Amino acid sequence: MAVLTDTTRARIQGYLEAFITNVVDETRQRLLPSSIAVREYLRQQSAEGRLKPFHQAIIPAELIRLSAFERSFSTRLGSTFEECARLIALQFHKDARRGHRVKGKVSQSSLQAIEQQVGLFEHASSERPRMDGMVDTVLASQRQDDLIPLQVVADLWVQRHDGSQMFFEIKSPMPNKGQCLEVTQRLLRIHLLTGNRAPQVSAYFAMAYNPYGSTREEYRWTYARNYMPFDDAVLIGNEFWSLVGTEGVYEELLEIYQEVGEARAKYILDNLAFGF
């Protein structure tokens, strides 16, 4: 039984179709015609350093264009996760926004407390601090005599019908150590700016999919496991989509991606391979 309404499905499909069209158009504008001769190619210039004369000479132009499309598409695909999550959340919750700004005045002492907590988490030799404990420490450090302005922009913000809020940083499922620590800092800053802890405010590092399998136990990326509050603030694949929607949303969303891909396959090939 479908869990997404016809309206939500149509919005997601329309968004993904437009996304594919935009990437195809940009790829067409960026690449040189397939019939260009070697001597003419060698007279070209590229401020971005994209000239590859040996690739151009030996690889069929159709494959070069499709390869360029795939690279650009893969680089930008993460932005579709944010928009699809927003559209899904609007069906199940009161409100949802991308690029949501949280700003206010916080004490310098509380910012120092965040840095201390992140440092303790990074260098802990045994059991690392829990997220709720770090949040409590940061909130308790807030003062009123050394205030400075602070702003955090969350990838996705969702407000439930009961008024509680969820903040998501939607990132790669294979972040490096620095990214893990930076997001941990940002999640703590969100709690500081809102002045609340869970369940009134929940902040998460969200991964749209699990590259290792279907379960949390199968996830093996050590940086995320060791340099983030993995058990408290990391959502992987189905966990994330079920929270912004409900159980079954993940599979249904992937089916929509597949449907759009199959429907637009001929368009992609015609525009980048056969009908350039």
Side-chain angles (χ1 to χ4, degrees):
M1 180 179 177
V3 294
L4 295 177
T5 64
D6 291 343
T7 298
T8 301
R9 289 183 65 91
R11 288 173 176 170
I12 293 173
Q13 289 170 340
Y15 167 74
L16 291 176
E17 289 170 357
F19 174 79
I20 289 175
T21 299
N22 289 336
V23 178
V24 168
D25 288 346
E26 291 177 11
T27 303
R28 284 172 57 88
Q29 294 171 11
R30 190 171 68 245
L31 297 179
L32 295 171
S34 58
S35 60
I36 189 169
V38 169
R39 295 180 185 276
E40 183 180 351
Y41 187 90
L42 291 176
R43 290 195 291 270
Q44 303 293 324
Q45 295 180 339
S46 173
E48 298 81 15
R50 290 175 175 164
L51 294 177
K52 295 181 179 181
F54 287 96
H55 288 71
Q56 178 74 17
I58 198 169
I59 300 176
E62 293 81 4
L63 291 182
I64 291 177
R65 290 194 293 270
L66 290 174
S67 177
F69 168 79
E70 192 278 332
R71 289 195 303 272
S72 179
F73 190 91
S74 297
T75 300
R76 298 170 54 184
L77 187 62
S79 64
T80 71
F81 305 150
E82 294 180 20
E83 180 61 11
C84 289
R86 185 187 73 87
L87 293 172
I88 290 169
L90 287 174
Q91 176 181 324
F92 293 93
H93 301 284
K94 183 178 180 180
D95 197 6
R97 302 173 193 168
R98 292 174 62 188
H100 182 68
R101 298 180 183 274
V102 191
K103 56 185 178 180
K105 290 187 175 181
V106 301
S107 64
Q108 296 185 54
S109 58
S110 62
L111 291 178
Q112 292 171 358
I114 289 177
E115 297 303 320
Q116 291 170 354
Q117 290 299 304
V118 173
L120 288 172
F121 193 91
E122 177 184 5
H123 300 295
S125 57
S126 56
E127 186 175 356
R128 287 182 166 84
R130 296 291 300 268
M131 185 67 176
D132 55 358
M134 292 194 291
V135 170
D136 287 342
T137 298
V138 170
L139 293 180
S141 69
Q142 174 76 320
R143 292 163 44 185
Q144 300 300 319
D145 59 350
D146 59 350
L147 298 178
I148 58 173
L150 178 67
Q151 175 177 275
V152 175
V153 180
D155 290 336
L156 178 68
W157 168 82
V158 176
Q159 184 178 41
R160 295 187 178 100
H161 291 291
D162 64 5
S164 60
Q165 302 175 75
M166 297 184 291
F167 295 82
F168 301 93
E169 292 295 312
I170 307 172
K171 305 301 182 187
S172 162
M174 293 182 174
N176 60 38
K177 177 182 175 181
Q179 291 169 329
C180 291
L181 296 173
E182 180 185 351
V183 171
T184 301
Q185 177 198 68
R186 192 174 301 139
L187 300 184
L188 290 174
R189 287 186 170 190
I190 287 172
H191 282 285
L192 175 61
L193 282 165
T194 59
N196 280 301
R197 66 193 306 275
Q200 290 82 12
V201 169
S202 301
Y204 301 100
F205 182 111
M207 305 174 188
Y209 63 94
N210 184 347
Y212 293 93
S214 59
T215 68
R216 186 179 189 86
E217 291 70 28
E218 291 171 311
Y219 183 79
R220 293 287 182 267
W221 193 249
T222 55
Y223 286 126
R225 281 189 169 273
N226 294 333
Y227 295 106
M228 289 204 69
F230 187 78
D231 294 329
D232 304 324
V234 176
L235 301 172
I236 308 174
N238 184 58
E239 298 170 345
F240 166 58
W241 297 106
S242 295
L243 191 58
V244 297
T246 189
E247 192 64 37
V249 160
Y250 184 31
E251 293 84 356
E252 196 167 330
L253 177 64
L254 284 172
E255 289 171 354
I256 296 173
Y257 271 71
Q258 186 176 48
E259 292 167 4
V260 172
E262 291 173 349
R264 301 298 279 174
K266 185 177 184 300
Y267 167 80
I268 295 170
L269 292 174
D270 285 347
N271 277 273
L272 294 178
F274 307 126
F276 189 79

